[in-house]
Amino acid sequence: MKSLPLVPAAVAGAASLTFAVKVARTVLDRRYYEKQGVAFGRTYPFIGSETDVSGLIGRNKTRDYLYLDRPATDFVGSIRGFDIQLYAVNRPTTDILVNPAVTGKYIDRDTPALYSFGQLSPSAMTFQKITTEHFGDRKRNLGKGFEQTRISAISNRRAAELCGGFTDDAPLDMKRIAGDYTREVMGEFVWGQDAMTLTVSYKDHDGSTSQVPFMFALNETFTGLRFYSNRFWNRVHFPMATWPVTREARRLQYNIKQLQEHLAEVLQGTPGAGTVWEQVATGNGKLGIPLEITRDDLLTASIAGLDTVQNTILATLWYVLLPENAKWREQITSSSGDRKAELVEACVSETLRLSPPGSVINNKVIDDFDLEVEGRRYRLKTGTRVMPNIHALHAMYGAAFQPERFLQEEKGAEPYVMPFGKGRRSCPGRNLGMVMATNFVRQFLTDHPDAWIANTADKDVHFNNLSHSQLMVVTTGSCPVGHS
Ligand code: HEM
């Protein structure tokens, strides 16, 4: 009887020892990289930089904004849990990382996102290593379903319906409107119009359950998972985001189960002609890829263009409608045809430079390798997390909104940007995202050339996948401060 308390004491002792060993290893790893010239920000074992990151998220910025002001180094170092996380912050280092032919070694997927929206679609390619069986085939099959004329037709139709329907003089909540647009366009594009009428059981924040459209439940659950995984302790120890220890975690897991069961049933049916569902199910089916994987790739296709495109639209409208950028609004509204399309696309591209919605997805070194950047040598160890920092690369060109950088007639090279990543792991939905965003922005500015922003006085307005910023726009009357 007396020996019973020894058991918990022994377990606690072993856990503390493991923790101490891991902390010691992290400190040594950090020193290893510091000796090679890597500059570390304020970061501690286990807690990492998460206190500073919380401050940024509270101001509608993402973790990547921590690393904007160190142009003189190749890598900035940080700690995530017990791993070292290196961010490439200049072009030559990024070029090497995204092109494995240079070093002969891959870095490969290992991302905390698996504990976030990965709970919804764990087998999706987003979370898999490049060496996973059929990885390339799956990405190709998805790409075959991403037909540009079709997304253009669907998004143009939906943008015209939405933008032509505003009758109110009250400020429009553009976040809600852009959210409706992306959800409806992606839903129809991936699943077809018929599948969109189906409903699933959905648990709301207040705990009540109701039947709602599939894409609504999917969008809410996807966004909820990302925000939940960005709470402080879930960022410190990623698996905590999956523990059913809070009401929010249990609510999200209820909704995940409903969505997966719904799709298991839908996938027994016949896909509509021309849908992404048809292409992916046919292509994957021929290769004998299990239905569960097909389900997850289709889930990815359904969600990847929701928050990303919504925030691209909001950020572009924000920049173009700001009084100081009036010349761009005027050029767009006074032009037509190809010229108008070109101007809007340049504004979207410049917006993606200044406010990329997300980061590249985390990768890890899977085999030690050497890398040389303009004569400076680094040895990266297996297990080190490493990725380019999109924000740092883009910030080198300054904070001014200058879409002319992306216009043909402008002299000089286009800036080095990567809002969609680069290389084999880059975004397969890049063209779709651009088409959806430009079609909405063009339609909105055409229908409402005098629109003005009603919430310019808000603090910390930034648009990205973790932001709570609003965009309130009035389409009638004139702006109290004028826009020309
Ligand atoms: C403006 C809109 C979008 C932006 C800014 C964006 C950005 C990104 C970024 C930064 C990555 C990570 C790349 C990397 O780790 O190197 C990514 C991956 C991915 N995106 Fe997008 N994306 C957008 C729209 C879309 C759309 C519309 C789809 C599909 C319908 C899509 C599907 C994917 C997929 C499947 C991956 C994972 C690729 C892989 O793991 O190999 N994205 N995206």
Side-chain angles (χ1 to χ4, degrees):
M1 293 294 281
K2 267 188 179 172
S3 65
L4 265 181
L6 286 180
V7 176
V11 171
S16 307
L17 187 65
T18 312
F19 188 82
V21 168
K22 285 188 170 186
V23 166
R25 203 205 66 199
T26 312
V27 171
L28 290 176
D29 283 349
R30 174 182 173 147
R31 206 154 287 161
Y32 170 83
Y33 285 112
E34 277 174 334
K35 278 192 198 145
Q36 298 186 47
V38 172
F40 275 75
R42 195 154 63 111
T43 187
Y44 310 97
F46 198 51
I47 300 288
S49 315
E50 303 311 333
T51 316
D52 291 341
V53 173
S54 291
L56 284 172
I57 292 178
R59 284 179 279 123
N60 295 317
K61 292 182 167 183
T62 61
R63 99 176 345 256
D64 289 7
Y65 282 83
L66 275 183
Y67 309 106
L68 301 195
D69 55 350
R70 296 170 191 272
T73 58
D74 299 318
F75 287 111
V76 174
S78 176
I79 297 175
R80 294 208 75 180
F82 297 109
D83 295 333
I84 299 294
Q85 163 87 64
L86 302 182
Y87 294 93
V89 289
N90 60 24
R91 180 179 182 160
T93 319
T94 300
D95 273 339
I96 295 172
L97 287 186
V98 298
N99 184 0
V102 178
T103 58
K105 293 280 172 78
Y106 281 113
I107 51 173
D108 217 339
R109 275 289 189 267
D110 187 321
T111 169
L114 185 59
Y115 304 101
S116 160
F117 57 96
Q119 290 181 71
L120 197 55
S121 51
S123 320
M125 73 181 59
T126 326
F127 314 106
Q128 304 303 316
K129 300 212 179 323
I130 216 161
T131 44
T132 307
E133 193 187 13
H134 293 311
F135 178 86
D137 299 315
R138 285 166 59 189
K139 202 158 178 174
R140 257 189 304 281
N141 288 339
L142 209 51
K144 278 189 210 154
F146 290 173
E147 224 261 290
Q148 273 208 60
T149 4
R150 191 162 161 264
I151 194 84
S152 206
I154 297 174
S155 59
N156 269 327
R157 190 191 74 232
R158 203 59 201 113
E161 286 164 2
L162 272 168
C163 296
F166 308 139
T167 49
D168 230 348
D169 285 351
L172 298 170
D173 176 355
M174 293 309 294
K175 191 166 206 159
R176 186 188 56 72
I177 292 164
D180 289 347
Y181 167 76
T182 49
R183 202 161 48 238
E184 288 164 19
V185 172
M186 276 327 293
E188 181 176 339
F189 183 65
V190 176
W191 300 101
Q193 264 176 332
D194 292 349
M196 291 309 300
T197 55
L198 300 177
T199 60
V200 288
S201 172
Y202 173 75
K203 191 176 278 186
D204 218 326
H205 289 277
D206 63 9
S208 63
T209 307
S210 58
Q211 288 293 124
V212 301
F214 161 71
M215 278 304 285
F216 176 84
L218 183 60
N219 199 166
E220 291 293 308
T221 306
F222 166 61
T223 309
L225 283 165
R226 275 199 304 89
F227 275 91
Y228 185 67
S229 68
N230 271 288
R231 289 188 185 179
F232 184 85
W233 285 108
N234 297 340
R235 285 202 318 271
V236 168
H237 184 58
F238 321 132
M240 272 179 77
T242 67
W243 297 353
V245 290
T246 62
R247 248 182 84 185
E248 178 64 353
R250 289 192 294 276
R251 184 185 80 86
L252 291 166
Q253 282 167 10
Y254 171 88
N255 290 333
I256 289 170
K257 190 161 170 277
Q258 302 304 315
L259 287 161
Q260 289 176 340
E261 283 174 8
H262 169 82
L263 279 188
E265 216 171 288
V266 167
L267 287 174
Q268 300 301 324
T270 312
T275 57
V276 181
W277 173 16
E278 183 191 51
Q279 283 293 348
V280 173
T282 312
N284 284 6
K286 279 186 195 151
L287 295 163
I289 293 171
L291 204 58
E292 203 177 85
I293 291 181
T294 296
R295 177 201 72 189
D296 284 3
D297 281 346
L298 287 169
L299 269 170
T300 288
S302 311
I303 56 184
L306 298 179
D307 298 6
T308 47
V309 177
Q310 181 191 29
N311 283 299
T312 305
I313 290 171
L314 294 173
T316 309
L317 286 177
W318 175 265
Y319 286 120
V320 174
L321 297 182
L322 279 178
E324 63 259 37
N325 298 325
K327 83 169 190 195
W328 291 101
R329 172 224 294 267
E330 273 146 28
Q331 281 192 51
I332 291 170
T333 53
S334 62
S335 60
S336 58
D338 289 350
R339 179 62 184 162
K340 184 181 247 183
E342 195 186 26
L343 286 165
V344 174
E345 195 174 322
C347 288
V348 173
S349 297
E350 174 67 344
T351 298
L352 286 169
R353 179 189 74 79
L354 284 167
S355 302
S359 319
V360 292
I361 301 171
N362 291 58
N363 292 309
K364 249 184 187 176
V365 176
I366 48 166
D367 201 0
D368 293 7
F369 72 98
D370 295 315
L371 154 155
E372 188 173 322
V373 187
E374 295 172 342
R376 298 174 293 279
R377 296 177 70 85
Y378 302 91
R379 167 148 270 245
L380 303 195
K381 282 207 295 193
T382 307
T384 299
R385 294 182 179 279
V386 58
M387 62 197 265
N389 184 314
I390 299 182
H391 283 67
L393 291 162
H394 291 192
M396 278 171 200
Y397 300 94
F401 181 70
Q402 293 177 341
E404 59 266 37
R405 304 172 204 274
F406 294 94
L407 285 172
Q408 298 271 320
E409 66 264 31
E410 184 66 17
K411 297 275 179 295
E414 276 197 2
Y416 183 81
V417 290
M418 51 182 302
F420 300 94
K422 277 189 192 294
R424 268 190 83 182
R425 291 318 294 248
S426 67
C427 176
R430 174 192 183 125
N431 294 339
L432 303 183
M434 285 301 289
V435 166
M436 283 171 72
T438 48
N439 283 353
F440 185 93
V441 171
R442 192 184 58 236
Q443 187 70 49
F444 185 87
L445 294 172
T446 304
D447 289 353
H448 307 289
D450 297 320
W452 50 276
I453 302 174
N455 65 320
T456 40
D458 282 4
K459 269 177 58 193
D460 299 321
V461 177
H462 302 280
F463 294 100
N464 55 64
N465 290 345
L466 281 183
S467 145
H468 285 103
S469 293
Q470 295 292 320
L471 174 61
M472 306 302 291
V473 167
V474 180
T475 56
T476 53
S478 60
C479 172
V481 289
H483 59 71
S484 54

